[in-house]
Amino acid sequence: MKKKRHLKKSAIISLAVLAGLCVLTLIYFLVLNKEDPYLKFRGYHKNHKEIGKVVHFESDDQDYFEAYTYPKFKEATLNNEIKAYVKEIKKEKKKENYIYTLDYESNKVFDTYISLLFTKKSYNDKQKLLNKESFTMNYDKNQKKLLKIKDVLRSNYKFQFADLFKNGNPMFLLQTSGIRFYDHEQVKDLNYNDLKSWMALKNPNIPSIAGASIPVDSMAEIDPNRAMVAFTFDDGPNSNTTGQVLDAFAREKGSATFFMLGSRALNNPEIVKRMVKEGHEIGNHSMSHANLSKGDATLINNEFFQTQNVLYEISGKEPKAFRPPYGAISELMKTIIPLPMTLWSVDTLDWKTRDTPSIVQAVMSRVQDGSIILLHDIYGTSANAIDLLLPKLKQQGYQFVTIDELNRYRPK
Ligand code: NI
């Protein structure tokens, strides 16, 4: 009896252990050994991650799966941009059982730039690819900022590469051989030699037509609370008279704007360089003083962009202001010329009178804070008028500023 009971007890224990094992096996097969449905979306591509530390995050805690891979750099500005981008993606609306991934490629370009290509994908609950989007970032380590297209290409790029820009600015990726443009997932590669005339980026490894940059002498500081006036000189430079005008501004520690003809700048590059060195603004007044308002697109394009090129090649600076010859503006000009058109508020008629006292009188009778005064530095009578005008106006408290400065301190 005792033995029998003992047998019964061990049979019960054995059965219980067996049942337990069965349950564990079942759990193992049902849960633990279940094939991972997201297996092929886990991890990230190890290729094309030239620079930066890989950050990877994946989760199926929600009712969808997400896997994000992005780089981390020691450059704080770039890191913040990347974090903000990833944060936006995480915030996007997600659907049940869908899959969301982000991966990237990173390139180191000439030790100066870091370019990043992000690829964002989403898949539906059948794991079918629904959407793929690219996003680029180009970081300049020297300037500590992300580059925009206008930092990379000069102002005439839209006209030159009209097909690339017809849908707005395409995304771009700096590479060591050239620039890759993305237009709705269409990719177009242009190498740096092909882009030479349109290159705004200044880097010893990238060909460009930019002249050597000219160090600017320190200038008098502008007091926004005091009166200011912008002198503008058209149609120069002239080797006999422009120097006299520059001397007068140097004496009074003021700046002016010179709207030059490309044809005359070509013949007087040293005067253009002196303007830049002494803190004056260089402006575009067309190549040959043609009346562009009566011209077609080709004439406007040639007259404007040739002059930009001439001044850029001499000074390394891209003119930021344009004065139309004769002050004449057409609708067509506005669509082609990518700069503001600067007119004037005080016309001295110096080209007509060629009379120093009447030029002085024209200015003194009409000048006020924020005036833009029109003169021509190609006449001795005008240069003589400047010799007289600057001390007079300075005595009245005026500061002499460029168009760029006037726009900043006296915005319209
Ligand atoms: Ni003119």
Side-chain angles (χ1 to χ4, degrees):
M1 197 63 185
K2 205 177 180 185
K3 202 179 177 188
K4 209 175 174 182
R5 200 185 298 146
H6 181 74
L7 263 176
K8 200 176 173 187
K9 196 180 174 188
S10 46
I12 290 170
I13 291 170
S14 305
L15 271 172
V17 169
L18 202 65
L21 276 173
C22 282
V23 168
L24 280 176
T25 314
L26 204 66
I27 289 173
Y28 177 76
F29 276 105
L30 278 180
V31 181
L32 296 177
N33 197 36
K34 188 183 168 193
E35 199 183 320
D36 178 2
Y38 302 122
L39 191 63
K40 65 174 178 172
F41 300 100
R42 296 192 187 275
Y44 57 89
H45 295 113
K46 303 225 169 17
N47 296 337
H48 305 294
K49 289 181 170 47
E50 237 180 77
I51 181 168
K53 196 174 155 232
V54 179
V55 180
H56 180 75
F57 164 84
E58 60 183 45
S59 157
D60 53 8
D61 294 348
Q62 316 285 333
D63 55 7
Y64 52 85
F65 177 80
E66 55 187 350
Y68 305 117
T69 311
Y70 54 93
K72 191 177 168 185
F73 295 96
K74 56 179 188 289
E75 286 78 5
T77 316
L78 177 58
N79 261 341
N80 290 339
E81 296 282 351
I82 295 168
K83 274 193 236 159
Y85 172 64
V86 174
K87 197 174 161 191
E88 279 305 306
I89 291 176
K90 283 185 177 172
K91 268 190 350 205
E92 284 169 6
K93 216 170 149 53
K94 308 287 198 296
K95 283 188 178 166
E96 203 177 320
N97 295 328
Y98 276 38
I99 293 154
Y100 302 91
T101 66
L102 176 74
D103 203 348
Y104 75 93
E105 294 179 8
S106 66
N107 312 285
K108 185 176 147 197
V109 185
F110 309 131
D111 286 330
T112 312
Y113 313 110
I114 297 169
S115 70
L116 302 173
L117 170 65
F118 292 95
T119 307
K120 186 177 92 170
K121 293 179 185 168
S122 62
Y123 303 81
N124 68 8
D125 48 3
K126 308 280 185 300
Q127 305 200 347
K128 181 176 173 279
L129 180 67
L130 289 183
N131 190 39
K132 181 183 163 189
E133 270 174 52
S134 301
F135 186 73
T136 62
M137 286 185 192
N138 299 273
Y139 182 77
D140 184 327
K141 290 205 252 180
N142 295 341
Q143 298 185 70
K144 296 185 171 41
K145 67 166 195 173
L146 287 189
L147 295 169
K148 296 196 173 89
I149 190 78
K150 68 174 176 58
D151 301 315
V152 175
L153 296 181
R154 295 178 53 218
S155 57
N156 45 352
Y157 63 86
K158 280 190 186 171
F159 199 83
Q160 188 60 37
F161 302 106
D163 57 325
L164 255 181
F165 290 88
K166 64 178 184 288
N167 300 317
N169 287 345
M171 287 186 304
F172 65 95
L173 190 73
L174 294 183
Q175 299 177 319
T176 39
S177 56
I179 303 177
R180 172 165 286 186
F181 294 92
Y182 295 82
D183 183 16
H184 296 87
E185 299 301 325
Q186 293 254 64
V187 167
K188 184 168 171 132
D189 285 314
L190 291 173
N191 69 46
Y192 287 123
N193 276 323
D194 294 338
L195 290 166
K196 183 176 174 180
S197 301
W198 298 280
M199 190 53 65
L201 268 190
K202 289 186 179 159
N203 186 291
N205 298 294
I206 300 177
S208 139
I209 62 166
S213 71
I214 298 165
V216 180
D217 296 348
S218 69
M219 299 299 300
E221 257 183 55
I222 299 163
D223 178 353
N225 300 314
R226 280 172 51 210
M228 58 185 75
V229 56
F231 276 96
T232 62
F233 298 91
D234 289 10
D235 301 359
N238 177 304
S239 56
N240 295 319
T241 48
T242 304
Q244 186 184 336
V245 172
L246 290 172
D247 290 344
F249 278 94
R251 276 197 303 276
E252 306 299 342
K253 298 195 173 18
S255 310
T257 305
F258 292 84
F259 288 104
M260 290 177 275
L261 294 180
S263 55
R264 292 193 174 147
L266 265 181
N267 291 326
N268 298 286
E270 292 311 314
I271 302 180
V272 179
K273 287 179 188 168
R274 182 180 165 192
M275 287 171 184
V276 173
K277 179 173 182 288
E278 297 183 0
H280 301 291
E281 181 174 353
I282 55 168
N284 182 331
H285 192 43
S286 85
M287 202 65 193
S288 69
H289 214 275
N291 188 338
L292 304 189
S293 72
K294 292 182 175 155
D296 61 6
T298 308
L299 180 87
I300 299 167
N301 181 47
N302 290 345
E303 286 277 337
F304 175 79
F305 288 123
Q306 280 177 21
T307 306
Q308 288 293 102
N309 287 353
V310 165
L311 294 172
Y312 190 62
E313 285 182 277
I314 294 172
S315 70
K317 273 200 165 193
E318 191 81 41
K320 287 194 278 184
F322 175 73
R323 173 163 285 160
Y326 313 101
I329 302 171
S330 67
E331 286 305 309
L332 186 59
M333 284 166 71
K334 290 186 202 163
T335 66
I336 295 174
I337 294 172
L339 299 183
M341 312 231 186
T342 307
L343 297 177
W344 52 85
S345 58
V346 177
D347 189 350
T348 61
L349 296 176
D350 63 334
W351 58 275
K352 200 171 170 186
T353 65
R354 311 273 184 100
D355 178 60
T356 300
S358 78
I359 297 167
V360 172
Q361 164 66 17
V363 173
M364 295 312 293
S365 63
R366 293 174 59 196
V367 68
Q368 57 180 38
D369 181 34
S371 286
I372 298 176
I373 298 171
L374 169 61
L375 283 150
H376 297 79
D377 54 317
I378 55 174
Y379 304 117
T381 43
S382 301
N384 291 341
I386 283 297
D387 282 339
L388 298 171
L389 278 167
L390 297 192
K392 267 183 198 283
L393 289 167
K394 196 174 187 182
Q395 212 169 26
Q396 293 190 4
Y398 281 98
Q399 307 170 89
F400 310 121
V401 301
T402 65
I403 290 296
D404 186 47
E405 290 162 339
L406 192 71
N407 289 338
R408 201 175 331 143
Y409 294 108
R410 296 289 184 271
K412 287 264 143 56

